[in-house]
Amino acid sequence: MLTLTQTIRLHRVQQAFRKSNALFRGFVGGRGAGKSWVGAYDLLRRAKPGRLYLVGAPTYPMLRDASWRSLVTVAEQLQFVKKSNQSEPSLTLGNGALILGRSADNPERFRGPNLSGLWLDEASQAERAAFDVGVACLREGGEMGWLSATFTPRGKQHWTYEVFGQTDAEGKPLRPNTALFRARTRDNPFLPLEFYETIKQQYSSALTVQELEGEFTDLEGALFRRHWFPIDEEAPPSVQTVRYWDLASTEPQKAGDDPDWSVGVLMQRSKEGLYHILDVRRMRGTPAKVEALVRHTAEEDGKKVRIWMEQEPGSSGVNTIDHYRRVVLPGWGFRGERPTGDKAERAHPLSSMAEAGKVRLVRAAWNKDFLDEIEVFPLGKHDDQVDAAVGAFDKLTLHKPNNFYMELRQSLQEEAREDW
């Protein structure tokens, strides 16, 4: 019989995770620490002939794009794939073991099959119920199955810390048959050399502890600090300036609600690399009043200031942006933006730059309201000013000033063709 030998390289923490015999194992680590990869490899190595296993991820897109992709890639590298189905994720291995993929957005979907093993990838983004329901399925063939969870930490109030992270005075897990393995981003020698330092520059020190060091730490209320935003009497000459608008929802408010604000933040970047928030405009009012404020503010700012607006999902957001571009701000090179991802995660680059002393305010009446809101973000009742500031900062860092006039000219040409 022909025997194929594959050499698989693991870093130290991955090896310890693989060798553990604990029934419930957690692999917690920083970004790029090799969590999903070792989770997939571990499952393939533990798969017994003819048995059933399950891979769970918080959402189906995460399962498809990350967890399942890692599993299939490693299985193909090991030449261990007998049959693969991507549309309804299933993988039959060379020894007859069957692996199914499921989304954990509805943990009840885990009910039913008797399993020999379950791998929960990105477990800290899934509900606790995914773990509770999954554990009760580990009973195939009259044997107790195993569960592994790979994840980035989400604080000491999260269920992953309660299950895997709590220890006694000697540092041993409080729960029986449980083990936790922690890997820092820089523990992974297979990453690009510049990866750690590049990502670290985008994170605040508090976020670095969680996202790169893999530590359980509570970040609530720690994303921004009031003293990170010194106030200047005036700003230095600008290299580029943008106004970013975050419009309040047009949905009707219930009686007694504290409705959101429509906010426009004016921010500039200087040649010294400083970011100054020059102005914050806020309004609660009808769409017509908000349109009037946006138009008046644009006239005050002048056409050298690029204007962006956060676009709501769906056709209503598209229609709103089109209305502002054609009717409210024709000729201004106006653009719409549809942000994706969690608001707090989008704020990390601004937080990192503010902690480094690179973000400042110009003294004005709005300073206190802005600082009051950003100090409690993301736990405060309102985050409209923060969202607008994050959007403006994003545009200043991603769009070069020498592209502005070219893009403005292109926009005017497009409008002229459409009008014709």
Side-chain angles (χ1 to χ4, degrees):
M1 178 182 292
L2 178 64
T3 300
L4 297 177
T5 301
Q6 288 279 353
T7 300
I8 299 296
R9 300 170 64 194
L10 303 176
H11 63 67
R12 178 181 53 81
V13 185
Q14 289 174 327
Q15 290 176 350
F17 175 78
R18 270 286 305 127
K19 293 178 180 179
S20 172
N21 291 321
L23 286 177
F24 309 111
R25 294 166 303 132
F27 187 102
V28 60
R31 306 293 291 272
K35 301 182 296 295
S36 295
W37 195 95
V38 76
Y41 177 67
D42 177 75
L43 170 54
L44 293 169
R45 287 294 306 273
R46 289 176 181 269
K48 296 180 179 180
R51 293 297 186 92
L52 180 63
Y53 298 87
L54 190 69
V55 177
T59 65
Y60 180 75
M62 294 176 71
L63 175 71
R64 177 194 62 206
D65 300 338
S67 313
W68 195 256
R69 184 177 180 183
S70 295
L71 180 71
V72 173
T73 298
V74 178
E76 290 177 344
Q77 181 181 349
L78 296 174
Q79 301 182 39
F80 201 35
V81 178
K82 182 177 181 180
K83 182 180 179 181
S84 177
N85 186 336
Q86 297 292 337
S87 59
E88 295 182 1
S90 66
L91 190 67
T92 303
L93 304 182
N95 64 357
L98 176 62
I99 304 175
L100 304 178
R102 292 289 184 270
S103 167
D105 56 357
N106 181 0
E108 293 299 315
R109 294 175 184 154
F110 285 6
R111 292 186 183 275
N114 296 334
L115 303 173
S116 289
L118 169 60
W119 169 36
L120 288 177
D121 193 26
E122 300 295 349
S124 60
Q125 298 186 44
E127 298 178 18
R128 169 65 185 265
F131 174 83
D132 293 337
V133 174
V135 165
C137 297
L138 302 174
R139 56 181 186 269
E140 186 178 20
E143 298 178 2
M144 184 66 208
W146 54 265
L147 181 145
S148 66
T150 52
F151 56 95
T152 302
R154 284 293 178 267
K156 294 184 178 181
Q157 306 304 313
H158 198 271
W159 70 265
T160 49
Y161 176 77
E162 178 187 345
V163 172
F164 298 103
Q166 290 185 331
T167 59
D168 58 21
E170 298 179 355
K172 297 180 180 179
L174 286 182
R175 289 176 172 245
N177 298 317
T178 301
L180 179 68
F181 303 87
R182 183 177 72 87
R184 303 170 299 177
T185 297
R186 54 188 170 181
D187 288 334
N188 187 352
F190 312 121
L191 289 174
L193 294 177
E194 69 277 12
F195 182 84
Y196 177 82
E197 291 298 332
T198 301
I199 301 302
K200 184 179 179 180
Q201 292 172 9
Q202 300 299 317
Y203 288 166
S204 66
S205 58
L207 189 64
T208 296
V209 173
Q210 173 178 284
E211 297 292 314
L212 299 181
E213 300 301 318
E215 295 277 7
F216 289 99
T217 180
D218 292 318
L219 294 181
E220 288 81 2
L223 198 53
F224 292 99
R225 293 288 186 267
R226 198 181 191 94
H227 66 270
W228 291 354
F229 297 88
I231 298 175
D232 296 335
E233 295 299 327
E234 59 182 21
S238 169
V239 171
Q240 186 184 14
T241 307
V242 301
R243 171 79 71 171
Y244 193 99
W245 286 94
D246 178 17
L247 299 189
S249 172
T250 57
E251 295 294 326
Q253 301 290 332
K254 298 179 181 179
D257 276 357
D258 184 9
D260 292 334
W261 296 78
S262 291
V263 176
V265 168
L266 183 69
M267 185 183 293
Q268 75 161 42
R269 179 171 60 87
S270 70
K271 65 180 181 180
E272 294 83 11
L274 293 177
Y275 295 83
H276 274 82
I277 299 178
L278 306 175
D279 180 59
V280 177
R281 302 289 173 94
R282 291 205 301 169
M283 171 176 280
R284 284 169 168 164
T286 63
K289 289 183 178 180
V290 173
E291 289 175 15
L293 173 65
V294 173
R295 186 185 302 111
H296 176 72
T297 303
E299 292 171 352
E300 283 189 353
D301 292 342
K303 289 196 174 182
K304 288 186 178 180
V305 174
R306 185 183 204 131
I307 304 175
W308 290 82
M309 182 172 290
E310 187 164 315
Q311 178 179 330
E312 294 181 3
S315 59
S316 62
V318 174
N319 294 336
T320 298
I321 295 301
D322 185 65
H323 173 73
Y324 268 85
R325 185 173 64 85
R326 290 177 170 273
V327 178
V328 182
L329 296 170
W332 251 270
F334 174 79
R335 289 288 185 271
E337 167 81 353
R338 181 179 294 167
T340 58
D342 180 73
K343 288 186 176 184
E345 290 186 3
R346 297 201 305 267
H348 292 161
L350 177 61
S351 173
S352 176
M353 194 65 73
E355 186 181 17
K358 300 292 187 179
V359 184
R360 311 175 75 87
L361 312 182
V362 171
R363 188 176 301 281
W366 51 265
N367 291 166
K368 182 180 183 302
D369 287 338
F370 178 84
L371 292 172
D372 286 347
E373 181 178 301
I374 205 166
E375 186 178 34
V376 297
F377 179 84
L379 301 179
K381 193 168 186 178
H382 294 288
D383 51 23
D384 317 288
Q385 295 177 91
V386 181
D387 285 347
V390 167
F393 178 78
D394 177 67
K395 297 307 149 193
L396 286 174
T397 53
L398 294 183
H399 294 268
K400 304 298 183 183
N402 59 354
N403 291 336
F404 170 68
Y405 291 104
M406 181 179 68
E407 293 182 13
L408 174 58
R409 180 181 179 184
Q410 181 181 356
S411 172
L412 294 175
Q413 290 174 342
E414 290 173 355
E415 291 177 6
R417 285 196 297 268
E418 291 171 357
D419 290 340
W420 182 84

